[in-house]
Amino acid sequence: MMTSIALLLLASSSTPTTIHGFQLPPRNQRHHITTTTTTHHIPALHSTTASEEEVATVITSPITGSETNIKYPTARGSEVNSRLIIDYSTSSGNDNADDDGTSPLLALRLNHILFASQELAAQTLDKLTKAEWNFEEMAKVVSNCGETREEGGSVGWVNLSEDFDNGAYDAATADDEETKNPNEHLDLILPSSAREKILSTPTKPGDILMVESSRGVHLVQVVDVMVDVRKLSYIKARKTKKKKKKATTTMVIHNEMELGEGKTNVVERKDSHNSKGTKLAGVLGGALVEDNGNNPQQQLDLTYKIETMGCQMNAADSERIEGQLMSLGIRALLEDEMTEVEVETDNDGLMKETKKIKREKKKPDVIVLNTCSIRDHAEQKVYSYLGPHAKRKRAGEDITIIVAGCVAQQEGQSLLRRIPEIDLVMGPQYANRISDLLEDVANGNQVVATEASHIMEDSTKPRRQSSVCAWVNVIYGCNERCTYCIVPTTRGVEQSRPVESIVDEVKELVSQGFKEVTLLGQNIDAYGRDMLPKRKFSDLMRIVGDTPGLERLRFVTSHPRYMSLGVVDAVAETKAACEYFHIPFQSGSNAILKAMGRGHTREKFLQIVDRVRQRLPDAAITADVIVGFPGETEQDFLDTLDIMEQVKFDTVNTAAYSPRPNTPAATWENQLSEDIKQDRLHRINELVLKHATERRARMMDRVVEVLVEERNVKVPTQVMGRTTHGYIVYFEGDIDELQGQLMNVKIDKCERFYLAGKITEEEVTKM
């Protein structure tokens, strides 16, 4: 243990230092230290298996022929350490940004625990690594720092512009804000020598470092990062064209953001293309609207609509985006909301033009399309959806169009060239920073935010779509290089959240009345392997599952390559954990699994299933499968059917292989015909339905515990809930009384994908 602890202590020399398997650049190249006189750079993104030139040549989609937006390496073996791959020295290429040469990374938020000896610090670090102890709680109990002990060891934000190379700051200019040490107030808590060691180490949220200072030995936890996302964005001033067409509406806005500082006269907004006087700018600037003198202090009303495609990760991202929009004063457009508009009539030229009032369905002012790139034709679906909104904008309507998610990350600036009406293109890593990016949009710019960035903690609360069940992200990105999958190039490298941040979010959800939490990750079993020191997902499961008041805990998605038997044990031994496992195996053929680059065999997958059946015999197991992968023979397909017969899954999400941009398999010549793909998809779906029916049939006459979530939309007198297995159950009940309640239900009807029954006072059937 002492050897690994020693690795965390940084040498002060300028020679390269190796920490936990990766090499730090010399100190004068480390990106965390930024001064007004020196620009520091880290090495450019590189692959350990391919030259920079080879990586840079992958710039055209083999599917669409359009330019791609590669921000992450795609070859297996490429660098996946987020501390190295996220280059804050990258220029954004802005048209109008003030490039002051400083890093977009502004500050780190730190906690610390102060010890008198390295031995005590090492023992505590071991407990923290295993998630046996909580960092903040430990700080309150054992820290020798009286200044921060009661606050759970909170040091606060540490400014990264502190200059350690020029020695002590001149006392004679201590009052000069430009030359003053920005972290001087921390000297009595975290001395300069400790700060230098911390800030010269490439870190990410969740890391814990051990450093020494004149005060003793500190365990320092990186809680969060502060990044100026606008410096990481491509910002382009929108070209405007004067329109001769009459404005459809006229609005008077009292706002310096609209009029320019010091002006007091009013301005008319006529067209969203040729004026910065948009409603978005008005809302962000706190504008008031004068409406024909009838309501001179009316609050400016701006509405949004979010369309979400794809997986649970996208659903969670949309909740975060929605929370940000609401914090800006933008409200959700109601489903059947109507509005009155003036329309002009010419009366066939017999009279002067007249105006009349017409009621029509209100359209959103801000459109957010959160995209998914997993399936074929994803890009075309985006263009098709945006068409009507782009037409509205060309007609002069004051609307803001935002494309978020994986297609946005994949296509980047090319989306602006294809649909110039788009205002903001942003990757998934900016879901909780949309408010920062909209500032530049409000100033008349088009913005593309797709550069790699550390995921920052939410500054606002997500707007949950349910009041009973909630998503909680625990790890972002994916380090795998499956040959068919575009996710690593759209969601980036793995970044685990700190244990304490996850636990705090879950506790807050429980305090708000949520009963069930689903932990989310593209590859959730990889949780913690990107941290210093490394953590285990099984440990996280146990500590989250022990949250007082949490009734149910789920998690998705597991990867057979990394799913440990310890995760199965954690589910079996954690009271709140549901007996449900989603483990995509993708193919039952070892030859195809190898071609896919999955990194596991059918035998490894079946070993995991055996462990689940041993510990939790009645557990539900679901999966994802791809048929028709390039080179798949009939025998390979039969191997997949064989593994399904052995396991008998509760549900399997099936898909015929479709080539995706920036993936190796898309360029292979051994593609299968669509006829073969569809035939195999039909055959496997028949087996899925057969097993789903068999698995649910075993629930007949059982008494199961159901968490009531919502009304049955097809039968309003019924409610809908789920069992711990994830099975949908319908039964008679009043949603106003039962929502969020755990009810015992006796099953009297079993269908392929749902159950039905009646409330009972009988005890839950034990299996």
Side-chain angles (χ1 to χ4, degrees):
M1 183 65 188
M2 295 303 293
T3 302
S4 62
I5 295 296
L7 290 173
L8 294 174
L9 298 173
L10 294 176
S12 59
S13 67
S14 61
T15 56
T17 306
T18 300
I19 296 183
H20 286 255
F22 69 89
Q23 190 179 69
L24 300 183
R27 184 168 56 173
N28 62 355
Q29 293 181 359
R30 294 174 191 161
H31 64 270
H32 281 301
I33 301 178
T34 306
T35 72
T36 57
T37 57
T38 307
T39 302
H40 299 274
H41 299 282
I42 63 171
L45 175 64
H46 67 281
S47 167
T48 56
T49 58
S51 69
E52 292 181 15
E53 182 178 354
E54 290 171 331
V55 173
T57 57
V58 188
I59 58 174
T60 303
S61 165
I63 311 305
T64 64
S66 63
E67 293 183 21
T68 61
N69 187 50
I70 295 177
K71 299 296 181 184
Y72 308 104
T74 58
R76 181 171 293 280
S78 298
E79 180 62 70
V80 293
N81 190 315
S82 64
R83 300 169 189 81
L84 299 182
I85 205 171
I86 298 175
D87 183 356
Y88 288 112
S89 65
T90 301
S91 173
S92 62
N94 296 344
D95 282 359
N96 59 347
D98 295 327
D99 186 3
D100 57 5
T102 60
S103 170
L105 186 60
L106 304 178
L108 302 179
R109 184 157 67 88
L110 306 178
N111 289 343
H112 85 135
I113 305 176
L114 181 63
F115 297 91
S117 71
Q118 190 177 90
E119 182 179 2
L120 289 173
Q123 292 173 357
T124 303
L125 181 61
D126 183 52
K127 296 293 185 181
L128 291 170
T129 301
K130 296 176 181 177
E132 294 178 11
W133 292 349
N134 177 285
F135 195 99
E136 294 178 9
E137 294 302 319
M138 282 305 302
K140 292 178 181 179
V141 175
V142 304
S143 181
N144 289 337
C145 181
E147 292 83 355
T148 63
R149 185 167 49 241
E150 292 185 3
E151 301 298 325
S154 176
V155 174
W157 290 101
V158 178
N159 193 311
L160 300 185
S161 65
E162 183 172 2
D163 185 358
F164 299 102
D165 294 330
N166 295 333
Y169 286 84
D170 189 351
T173 60
D175 294 332
D176 186 347
E177 292 298 326
E178 293 186 3
T179 58
K180 185 178 179 180
N181 182 352
N183 296 322
E184 183 180 3
H185 62 291
L186 298 176
D187 284 346
L188 296 179
I189 299 173
L190 196 64
S192 176
S193 60
R195 295 199 301 271
E196 181 174 8
K197 293 174 183 177
I198 295 164
L199 299 187
S200 62
T201 306
T203 56
K204 58 174 292 299
D207 288 352
I208 301 177
L209 307 179
M210 181 187 290
V211 296
E212 293 184 357
S213 76
S214 57
R215 299 192 69 198
V217 182
H218 305 257
L219 287 184
V220 180
Q221 180 189 46
V222 181
V223 181
D224 201 0
V225 295
M226 183 185 297
V227 178
D228 185 347
V229 297
R230 298 170 69 187
K231 285 189 175 182
L232 287 175
S233 307
Y234 168 82
I235 301 174
K236 178 183 178 183
R238 184 183 285 281
K239 294 180 180 179
T240 60
K241 294 181 181 179
K242 292 185 177 181
K243 302 271 187 179
K244 294 182 180 180
K245 181 180 176 180
K246 274 188 178 180
T248 55
T249 59
T250 300
M251 196 171 288
V252 181
I253 300 178
H254 299 275
N255 183 355
E256 286 189 353
M257 188 173 185
E258 299 290 316
L259 308 177
E261 187 174 358
K263 294 184 180 180
T264 56
N265 60 307
V266 295
V267 61
E268 290 185 352
R269 175 184 61 77
K270 293 187 177 180
D271 186 272
S272 63
H273 279 290
N274 61 19
S275 171
K276 293 183 182 179
T278 63
K279 287 199 289 184
L280 175 64
V283 166
L284 297 189
L288 296 176
V289 179
E290 186 175 304
D291 184 15
N292 297 326
N294 297 325
N295 194 1
Q297 293 300 311
Q298 179 184 355
Q299 199 70 33
L300 189 59
D301 184 42
L302 200 66
T303 60
Y304 68 82
K305 182 178 180 182
I306 300 177
E307 290 288 341
T308 305
M309 303 174 173
C311 66
Q312 300 99 323
M313 296 291 289
N314 266 18
D317 287 346
S318 288
E319 291 182 345
R320 299 160 76 205
I321 291 171
E322 195 163 5
Q324 287 264 301
L325 294 177
M326 293 180 69
S327 73
L328 295 174
I330 308 172
R331 66 176 180 84
L333 180 68
L334 302 179
E335 187 66 29
D336 298 319
E337 190 168 348
M338 304 294 289
T339 187
E340 294 182 350
V341 296
E342 289 184 349
V343 293
E344 296 180 351
T345 59
D346 59 9
N347 295 317
D348 297 325
L350 300 177
M351 302 173 56
K352 291 183 179 180
E353 291 184 355
T354 60
K355 295 182 179 180
K356 67 178 182 179
I357 302 299
K358 176 184 175 182
R359 284 182 59 80
E360 63 178 31
K361 192 170 183 179
K362 187 177 177 64
K363 298 174 182 177
D365 302 299
V366 178
I367 296 95
V368 181
L369 181 60
N370 195 5
T371 60
C372 173
S373 58
I374 290 293
R375 296 286 182 254
D376 196 11
H377 307 303
E379 302 83 4
Q380 287 77 7
K381 290 177 182 177
V382 171
Y383 298 137
S384 176
Y385 177 86
L386 292 179
H389 301 295
K391 184 178 180 181
R392 287 176 58 198
K393 194 158 192 170
R394 286 195 298 272
E397 290 190 45
D398 183 2
I399 64 172
T400 301
I401 301 176
I402 301 167
V403 182
C406 293
V407 172
Q409 181 68 38
Q410 170 190 311
E411 298 297 309
Q413 294 181 35
S414 65
L415 277 172
L416 299 186
R417 291 190 286 273
R418 182 74 178 265
I419 305 181
E421 292 78 16
I422 294 174
D423 295 286
L424 171 60
V425 177
M426 66 176 201
Q429 65 272 32
Y430 294 99
N432 63 346
R433 287 298 178 270
I434 188 173
S435 58
D436 298 327
L437 300 171
L438 284 177
E439 289 184 24
D440 284 308
V441 173
N443 288 328
N445 300 307
Q446 293 176 290
V447 180
V448 178
T450 55
E451 290 294 337
S453 174
H454 287 114
I455 307 294
M456 293 169 277
E457 288 297 311
D458 290 350
S459 57
T460 57
K461 303 302 178 188
R463 185 178 188 270
R464 308 288 181 178
Q465 297 302 307
S466 167
S467 60
V468 179
C469 307
W471 311 107
V472 173
N473 292 94
V474 301
I475 181 172
Y476 301 95
C478 181
N479 286 359
E480 296 307 292
R481 296 292 180 264
C482 299
T483 56
Y484 57 86
C485 186
I486 195 172
V487 167
T489 64
T490 57
R491 286 196 170 267
V493 295
E494 292 166 0
Q495 297 187 59
S496 301
R497 290 179 65 196
V499 174
E500 290 77 11
S501 297
I502 297 167
V503 171
D504 287 346
E505 183 174 351
V506 172
K507 286 181 177 178
E508 183 171 353
L509 288 168
V510 171
S511 72
Q512 294 171 359
F514 287 87
K515 299 298 178 65
E516 177 179 297
V517 164
T518 299
L519 304 181
L520 285 182
Q522 212 75 45
N523 180 8
I524 203 162
D525 302 288
Y527 174 81
R529 68 173 177 174
D530 59 314
M531 290 180 169
L532 296 176
K534 292 184 179 181
R535 320 291 165 79
K536 294 181 180 178
F537 177 63
S538 56
D539 293 333
L540 178 68
M541 277 286 296
R542 294 177 192 274
I543 192 170
V544 173
D546 286 341
T547 303
L550 180 64
E551 298 287 352
R552 289 187 175 179
L553 178 65
R554 303 183 190 273
F555 63 95
V556 288
T557 298
S558 294
H559 193 303
R561 184 182 187 187
Y562 296 102
M563 185 175 179
S564 70
L565 302 183
V567 172
V568 180
D569 294 339
V571 173
E573 296 162 10
T574 302
K575 183 179 179 181
C578 293
E579 47 190 332
Y580 171 86
F581 298 85
H582 183 66
I583 320 170
F585 67 97
Q586 303 301 2
S587 174
S589 163
N590 281 339
I592 296 300
L593 288 172
K594 184 176 181 180
M596 288 178 167
R598 291 286 291 170
H600 68 87
T601 61
R602 61 179 281 136
E603 289 78 18
K604 170 67 187 295
F605 178 80
L606 290 172
Q607 181 186 16
I608 295 170
V609 172
D610 288 343
R611 184 68 165 194
V612 172
R613 297 297 187 216
Q614 290 171 12
R615 295 301 312 270
L616 296 159
D618 199 44
I621 302 177
T622 63
D624 298 341
V625 169
I626 296 172
V627 299
F629 187 77
E632 183 187 65
T633 65
E634 178 66 15
Q635 184 57 53
D636 291 328
F637 175 67
L638 293 177
D639 288 344
T640 297
L641 298 185
D642 175 69
I643 208 171
M644 291 179 65
E645 289 285 10
Q646 290 190 54
V647 177
K648 289 185 167 55
F649 295 95
D650 294 80
T651 300
V652 178
N653 302 316
T654 62
Y657 170 76
S658 60
R660 304 308 301 129
N662 307 328
T663 60
T667 64
W668 295 348
E669 296 180 357
N670 55 346
Q671 306 289 327
L672 273 61
S673 70
E674 287 302 316
D675 288 343
I676 292 177
K677 291 180 187 178
Q678 293 306 313
D679 173 68
R680 291 177 181 174
L681 186 62
H682 175 73
R683 288 156 64 190
I684 198 171
N685 281 341
E686 286 187 335
L687 192 57
V688 170
L689 294 176
K690 175 176 178 288
H691 290 161
T693 303
E694 291 175 5
R695 291 291 292 168
R696 283 157 184 77
R698 79 188 196 283
M699 308 302 290
M700 180 64 77
D701 295 326
R702 279 201 204 177
V703 176
V704 296
E705 184 182 69
V706 178
L707 176 60
V708 180
E709 297 181 22
E710 58 189 35
R711 192 190 308 275
N712 181 353
V713 293
K714 293 184 178 179
V715 185
T717 60
Q718 292 184 347
V719 296
M720 184 279 284
R722 297 176 192 271
T723 68
T724 54
H725 306 85
Y727 297 156
I728 292 175
V729 181
Y730 297 111
F731 59 93
E732 292 290 328
D734 186 342
I735 188 62
D736 294 328
E737 294 181 3
L738 299 181
Q739 190 170 42
Q741 301 297 312
L742 290 166
M743 306 300 297
N744 287 357
V745 177
K746 188 165 186 177
I747 302 302
D748 57 22
K749 183 179 182 180
C750 300
E751 295 294 335
R752 286 176 174 175
F753 294 114
Y754 75 90
L755 308 172
K758 296 179 178 64
I759 296 176
T760 181
E761 295 183 358
E762 296 179 39
E763 294 293 322
V764 173
T765 305
K766 302 294 183 183
M767 300 302 295

